[in-house]
């Protein structure tokens, strides 16, 4: 049998793929020439495209609707396929990237990602995920750049939060976290890293030693802020003895 792979994934000739994607064959050829699509599978002189190419075309369409140019989309896809900025680039210092821990990526087939989020993987959500840098395309697979963020997103969706709302919140969190990172980077560069370099110390080791301090501060402040907001939402007052003052009668 010639099409066992087609039975599993779904394969199309160029005209069929263009029709499914709602574009012309000429546009499809143009996208292929711009390397916005991975090469098709060839069987003799016939080029076979599959559902992963269709998903890529729908993602391109969603990005175009959001105002991205084709050049920008090509750069975006190339950046995600080649990796992301490391902390050494952020710090502008040699040796910092090697010891800074990276998130664990997860490779998924497009259909597995769709099953994971139960109908929430729309072109709009894919576009937002690409914009945020959560997703990359690697051949026939989709790579989510953080196991932790993928699991948290999945749990929130299971709890009834729409994926679009999760991604919207993630965009807001990204802005705040970038500001927090800038605060800590400025602090380290001004008071620690310059002296460490003058003493000939390994910058990566210095960064690794201090990183948990930044994480602890953010975790503690977030916990206290969440407690304050939840008490305000529920109309509760803090328990006695939690205000930081000394209670009488002790």
């Amino acid at each position: 049998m010639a099409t066992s792979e087609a039975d599993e994934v779904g394969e199309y000739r160029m005209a069929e793929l263009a029709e499914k994607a709602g574009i012309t064959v000429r546009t499809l050829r143009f996208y292929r020439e711009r390397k916005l699509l991975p090469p098709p599978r060839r069987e003799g002189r016939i080029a076979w495209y599959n559902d992963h190419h269709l998903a890529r075309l729908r993602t391109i369409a969603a990005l175009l609707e959001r105002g991205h140019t084709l050049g920008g989309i090509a750069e975006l896809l190339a950046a995600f396929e080649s990796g992301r900025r490391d902390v050494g680039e952020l710090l502008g210092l040699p040796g910092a990237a090697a010891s800074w821990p990276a998130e664990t990526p997860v490779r998924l087939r497009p259909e597995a990602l769709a099953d994971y989020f139960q109908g929430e993987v729309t072109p709009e959500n894919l576009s937002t995920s690409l914009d945020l840098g959560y997703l990359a395309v690697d051949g026939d697979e989709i790579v989510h750049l953080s196991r932790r963020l993928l699991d948290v997103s999945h749990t929130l969706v299971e709890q009834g939060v729409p994926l679009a709302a999760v991604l919207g919140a993630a965009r807001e969190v990204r802005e705040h976290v970038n500001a927090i990172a800038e605060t800590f980077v400025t602090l380290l560069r001004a008071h620690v890293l310059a002296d460490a370099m003058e003493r000939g110390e390994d910058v990566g080791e210095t960064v690794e030693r201090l990183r948990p301090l930044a994480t602890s501060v953010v975790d503690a402040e977030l916990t206290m802020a969440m407690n304050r907001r939840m008490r305000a939402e529920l109309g509760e007052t803090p328990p006695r003895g939690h205000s930081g003052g000394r209670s009488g009668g002790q």
Side-chain angles (χ1 to χ4, degrees):
M1 295 185 62
T3 59
S4 59
E5 184 178 346
D7 293 338
E8 293 178 7
V9 179
E11 288 191 320
Y12 320 98
R13 296 194 183 201
M14 180 179 285
E16 296 171 327
L17 178 67
E19 183 179 359
K20 280 186 170 293
I23 60 176
T24 65
V25 171
R26 182 178 179 180
T27 299
L28 177 55
R29 285 200 182 99
F30 179 69
Y31 288 170
R32 192 176 68 181
E33 290 168 2
R34 292 289 298 269
K35 301 190 184 305
L36 293 171
L37 290 176
R41 182 180 71 83
R42 292 199 171 272
E43 191 175 272
R45 299 180 62 182
I46 301 175
W48 288 103
Y49 299 85
N50 57 38
D51 288 332
H52 310 316
H53 293 95
L54 181 59
R56 173 69 72 90
L57 288 172
R58 288 172 174 166
T59 298
I60 293 170
L63 289 169
L64 288 172
E65 287 178 3
R66 292 171 65 90
H68 292 270
T69 64
L70 285 177
I73 293 171
E75 291 178 3
L76 188 66
L77 293 172
F80 291 139
E81 288 172 358
S82 64
R84 63 191 191 284
R85 290 178 59 193
D86 57 43
V87 106
E89 184 179 346
L90 175 65
L91 291 170
L93 294 167
S99 62
W100 198 273
E103 290 296 313
T104 302
V106 182
R107 290 181 172 271
L108 296 164
R109 304 285 288 186
E111 55 270 26
L113 182 67
D115 290 342
Y116 202 58
F117 287 102
Q118 300 180 354
E120 295 275 346
V121 180
T122 63
E124 294 76 16
N125 287 338
L126 282 172
S127 174
T128 302
S129 297
L130 285 166
D131 278 345
L132 287 167
Y134 287 169
L135 296 183
V137 179
D138 185 10
D140 289 342
E141 293 182 314
I142 291 176
V143 182
H144 195 292
L145 298 184
S146 170
R147 161 67 70 181
R148 290 192 296 176
L149 290 176
L150 177 64
D151 289 344
V152 168
S153 300
H154 173 62
T155 300
L156 287 171
V157 169
E158 279 195 323
Q159 294 298 314
V161 183
L163 183 56
V166 172
L167 294 172
R171 191 181 295 279
E172 293 185 33
V173 169
R174 173 72 59 80
E175 294 178 2
H176 295 301
V177 170
N178 282 341
I180 292 170
E182 181 64 28
T183 297
F184 279 107
V185 168
T186 300
L187 188 70
L188 293 180
R189 294 184 72 174
H191 300 286
V192 179
L193 296 180
D195 290 341
M197 292 182 68
E198 287 182 5
R199 293 192 299 268
E201 295 180 6
D202 184 272
V203 173
E205 291 181 1
T206 303
V207 170
E208 177 62 18
R209 186 176 71 252
L210 296 175
R211 179 189 60 81
L213 302 180
T215 303
S216 295
V217 170
V218 173
D219 184 62
E221 287 289 352
L222 179 59
T223 298
M224 291 188 291
M226 287 289 292
N227 287 342
R228 290 193 297 269
R229 292 301 300 267
M230 290 305 299
R231 284 197 297 265
E233 289 288 330
L234 298 174
E236 296 179 355
T237 57
R240 289 178 62 84
H242 284 217
S243 62
R246 300 180 65 180
S247 59
Q250 297 292 325

